[in-house]
mmCIF file of all heavy atoms in Angstrom:
data_model
loop_
_atom_site.group_PDB
_atom_site.id
_atom_site.type_symbol
_atom_site.label_atom_id
_atom_site.label_comp_id
_atom_site.label_asym_id
_atom_site.label_seq_id
_atom_site.Cartn_x
_atom_site.Cartn_y
_atom_site.Cartn_z
ATOM 1 N N TYR A 398 29.772 4.338 5.793
ATOM 2 C CA TYR A 398 28.412 4.650 6.229
ATOM 3 C C TYR A 398 27.705 3.404 6.748
ATOM 4 O O TYR A 398 26.992 3.445 7.756
ATOM 5 C CB TYR A 398 27.636 5.254 5.059
ATOM 6 C CG TYR A 398 26.351 5.948 5.454
ATOM 7 C CD1 TYR A 398 26.390 7.086 6.253
ATOM 8 C CD2 TYR A 398 25.112 5.463 5.037
ATOM 9 C CE1 TYR A 398 25.213 7.733 6.620
ATOM 10 C CE2 TYR A 398 23.935 6.101 5.402
ATOM 11 C CZ TYR A 398 23.993 7.238 6.190
ATOM 12 O OH TYR A 398 22.844 7.872 6.564
ATOM 13 N N THR A 399 27.918 2.292 6.078
ATOM 14 C CA THR A 399 27.297 1.034 6.507
ATOM 15 C C THR A 399 27.794 0.631 7.886
ATOM 16 O O THR A 399 27.010 0.209 8.748
ATOM 17 C CB THR A 399 27.586 -0.080 5.490
ATOM 18 O OG1 THR A 399 27.082 0.302 4.203
ATOM 19 C CG2 THR A 399 26.939 -1.395 5.911
ATOM 20 N N HIS A 400 29.098 0.753 8.113
ATOM 21 C CA HIS A 400 29.659 0.426 9.428
ATOM 22 C C HIS A 400 29.092 1.350 10.504
ATOM 23 O O HIS A 400 28.803 0.921 11.626
ATOM 24 C CB HIS A 400 31.185 0.531 9.384
ATOM 25 C CG HIS A 400 31.823 -0.545 8.577
ATOM 26 N ND1 HIS A 400 33.082 -0.434 8.002
ATOM 27 C CD2 HIS A 400 31.363 -1.789 8.206
ATOM 28 C CE1 HIS A 400 33.371 -1.532 7.337
ATOM 29 N NE2 HIS A 400 32.338 -2.371 7.444
ATOM 30 N N PHE A 401 28.940 2.602 10.168
ATOM 31 C CA PHE A 401 28.383 3.580 11.110
ATOM 32 C C PHE A 401 26.951 3.191 11.493
ATOM 33 O O PHE A 401 26.575 3.226 12.670
ATOM 34 C CB PHE A 401 28.408 4.974 10.476
ATOM 35 C CG PHE A 401 27.651 6.019 11.255
ATOM 36 C CD1 PHE A 401 28.220 6.623 12.369
ATOM 37 C CD2 PHE A 401 26.359 6.398 10.882
ATOM 38 C CE1 PHE A 401 27.527 7.586 13.093
ATOM 39 C CE2 PHE A 401 25.654 7.349 11.598
ATOM 40 C CZ PHE A 401 26.248 7.945 12.704
ATOM 41 N N LEU A 402 26.162 2.823 10.505
ATOM 42 C CA LEU A 402 24.772 2.436 10.764
ATOM 43 C C LEU A 402 24.698 1.180 11.625
ATOM 44 O O LEU A 402 23.855 1.085 12.528
ATOM 45 C CB LEU A 402 24.029 2.205 9.441
ATOM 46 C CG LEU A 402 23.738 3.450 8.592
ATOM 47 C CD1 LEU A 402 23.218 3.037 7.227
ATOM 48 C CD2 LEU A 402 22.737 4.356 9.289
ATOM 49 N N GLN A 403 25.590 0.212 11.350
ATOM 50 C CA GLN A 403 25.595 -1.013 12.143
ATOM 51 C C GLN A 403 25.895 -0.729 13.608
ATOM 52 O O GLN A 403 25.284 -1.297 14.514
ATOM 53 C CB GLN A 403 26.632 -1.998 11.584
ATOM 54 C CG GLN A 403 26.202 -2.694 10.297
ATOM 55 C CD GLN A 403 27.265 -3.643 9.786
ATOM 56 O OE1 GLN A 403 28.444 -3.284 9.727
ATOM 57 N NE2 GLN A 403 26.856 -4.854 9.429
ATOM 58 N N LYS A 404 26.816 0.184 13.836
ATOM 59 C CA LYS A 404 27.271 0.482 15.194
ATOM 60 C C LYS A 404 26.230 1.258 15.998
ATOM 61 O O LYS A 404 26.043 1.030 17.197
ATOM 62 C CB LYS A 404 28.584 1.264 15.131
ATOM 63 C CG LYS A 404 29.215 1.509 16.498
ATOM 64 C CD LYS A 404 30.575 2.194 16.340
ATOM 65 C CE LYS A 404 31.223 2.423 17.701
ATOM 66 N NZ LYS A 404 32.555 3.093 17.562
ATOM 67 N N TYR A 405 25.540 2.195 15.320
ATOM 68 C CA TYR A 405 24.649 3.106 16.056
ATOM 69 C C TYR A 405 23.167 2.937 15.690
ATOM 70 O O TYR A 405 22.375 3.846 15.893
ATOM 71 C CB TYR A 405 25.069 4.561 15.798
ATOM 72 C CG TYR A 405 26.451 4.884 16.309
ATOM 73 C CD1 TYR A 405 27.510 5.032 15.417
ATOM 74 C CD2 TYR A 405 26.702 5.034 17.667
ATOM 75 C CE1 TYR A 405 28.790 5.331 15.875
ATOM 76 C CE2 TYR A 405 27.971 5.332 18.136
ATOM 77 C CZ TYR A 405 29.013 5.476 17.235
ATOM 78 O OH TYR A 405 30.271 5.773 17.698
ATOM 79 N N ALA A 406 22.791 1.790 15.163
ATOM 80 C CA ALA A 406 21.412 1.588 14.702
ATOM 81 C C ALA A 406 20.390 1.846 15.802
ATOM 82 O O ALA A 406 19.402 2.566 15.605
ATOM 83 C CB ALA A 406 21.244 0.170 14.146
ATOM 84 N N LYS A 407 20.607 1.275 16.975
ATOM 85 C CA LYS A 407 19.642 1.432 18.066
ATOM 86 C C LYS A 407 19.581 2.873 18.563
ATOM 87 O O LYS A 407 18.501 3.383 18.901
ATOM 88 C CB LYS A 407 19.988 0.483 19.214
ATOM 89 C CG LYS A 407 19.785 -0.989 18.861
ATOM 90 C CD LYS A 407 20.089 -1.894 20.046
ATOM 91 C CE LYS A 407 19.850 -3.357 19.676
ATOM 92 N NZ LYS A 407 20.158 -4.279 20.805
ATOM 93 N N VAL A 408 20.741 3.531 18.615
ATOM 94 C CA VAL A 408 20.784 4.937 19.043
ATOM 95 C C VAL A 408 20.016 5.808 18.057
ATOM 96 O O VAL A 408 19.226 6.686 18.454
ATOM 97 C CB VAL A 408 22.245 5.436 19.170
ATOM 98 C CG1 VAL A 408 22.270 6.933 19.500
ATOM 99 C CG2 VAL A 408 22.984 4.637 20.223
ATOM 100 N N ILE A 409 20.227 5.566 16.770
ATOM 101 C CA ILE A 409 19.545 6.338 15.725
ATOM 102 C C ILE A 409 18.035 6.170 15.839
ATOM 103 O O ILE A 409 17.277 7.141 15.791
ATOM 104 C CB ILE A 409 20.032 5.900 14.323
ATOM 105 C CG1 ILE A 409 21.479 6.341 14.111
ATOM 106 C CG2 ILE A 409 19.129 6.492 13.232
ATOM 107 C CD1 ILE A 409 22.116 5.741 12.873
ATOM 108 N N LEU A 410 17.579 4.927 16.004
ATOM 109 C CA LEU A 410 16.140 4.685 16.117
ATOM 110 C C LEU A 410 15.558 5.312 17.382
ATOM 111 O O LEU A 410 14.455 5.866 17.366
ATOM 112 C CB LEU A 410 15.862 3.182 16.116
ATOM 113 C CG LEU A 410 15.901 2.493 14.752
ATOM 114 C CD1 LEU A 410 15.611 1.004 14.899
ATOM 115 C CD2 LEU A 410 14.895 3.116 13.802
ATOM 116 N N GLY A 411 16.308 5.259 18.472
ATOM 117 C CA GLY A 411 15.844 5.861 19.718
ATOM 118 C C GLY A 411 15.686 7.366 19.610
ATOM 119 O O GLY A 411 14.656 7.934 20.004
ATOM 120 N N LEU A 412 16.701 8.018 19.040
ATOM 121 C CA LEU A 412 16.647 9.474 18.871
ATOM 122 C C LEU A 412 15.546 9.863 17.883
ATOM 123 O O LEU A 412 14.833 10.853 18.097
ATOM 124 C CB LEU A 412 18.003 9.997 18.385
ATOM 125 C CG LEU A 412 19.156 9.938 19.403
ATOM 126 C CD1 LEU A 412 20.464 10.346 18.744
ATOM 127 C CD2 LEU A 412 18.860 10.839 20.605
ATOM 128 N N SER A 413 15.412 9.081 16.805
ATOM 129 C CA SER A 413 14.380 9.376 15.804
ATOM 130 C C SER A 413 12.988 9.271 16.412
ATOM 131 O O SER A 413 12.119 10.117 16.166
ATOM 132 C CB SER A 413 14.497 8.404 14.621
ATOM 133 O OG SER A 413 15.760 8.516 13.999
ATOM 134 N N THR A 414 12.770 8.253 17.216
ATOM 135 C CA THR A 414 11.463 8.063 17.854
ATOM 136 C C THR A 414 11.146 9.207 18.813
ATOM 137 O O THR A 414 10.030 9.740 18.825
ATOM 138 C CB THR A 414 11.434 6.725 18.614
ATOM 139 O OG1 THR A 414 11.730 5.663 17.704
ATOM 140 C CG2 THR A 414 10.069 6.494 19.249
ATOM 141 N N ALA A 415 12.144 9.596 19.614
ATOM 142 C CA ALA A 415 11.943 10.683 20.576
ATOM 143 C C ALA A 415 11.622 11.995 19.859
ATOM 144 O O ALA A 415 10.704 12.733 20.255
ATOM 145 C CB ALA A 415 13.194 10.847 21.440
ATOM 146 N N LEU A 416 12.380 12.272 18.791
ATOM 147 C CA LEU A 416 12.151 13.501 18.027
ATOM 148 C C LEU A 416 10.765 13.493 17.394
ATOM 149 O O LEU A 416 10.046 14.507 17.414
ATOM 150 C CB LEU A 416 13.218 13.646 16.942
ATOM 151 C CG LEU A 416 13.134 14.902 16.062
ATOM 152 C CD1 LEU A 416 13.341 16.158 16.905
ATOM 153 C CD2 LEU A 416 14.167 14.845 14.935
ATOM 154 N N PHE A 417 10.385 12.362 16.866
ATOM 155 C CA PHE A 417 9.070 12.245 16.237
ATOM 156 C C PHE A 417 7.957 12.513 17.244
ATOM 157 O O PHE A 417 7.006 13.247 16.961
ATOM 158 C CB PHE A 417 8.917 10.854 15.624
ATOM 159 C CG PHE A 417 7.518 10.537 15.187
ATOM 160 C CD1 PHE A 417 6.964 11.180 14.091
ATOM 161 C CD2 PHE A 417 6.742 9.624 15.883
ATOM 162 C CE1 PHE A 417 5.665 10.901 13.689
ATOM 163 C CE2 PHE A 417 5.448 9.336 15.492
ATOM 164 C CZ PHE A 417 4.908 9.976 14.389
#
Side-chain angles (χ1 to χ4, degrees):
Y398 195 65
T399 301
H400 290 157
F401 170 80
L402 290 170
Q403 285 180 313
K404 186 175 181 180
Y405 297 106
K407 292 182 179 179
V408 175
I409 291 170
L410 282 180
L412 290 174
S413 300
T414 303
L416 181 63
F417 169 70

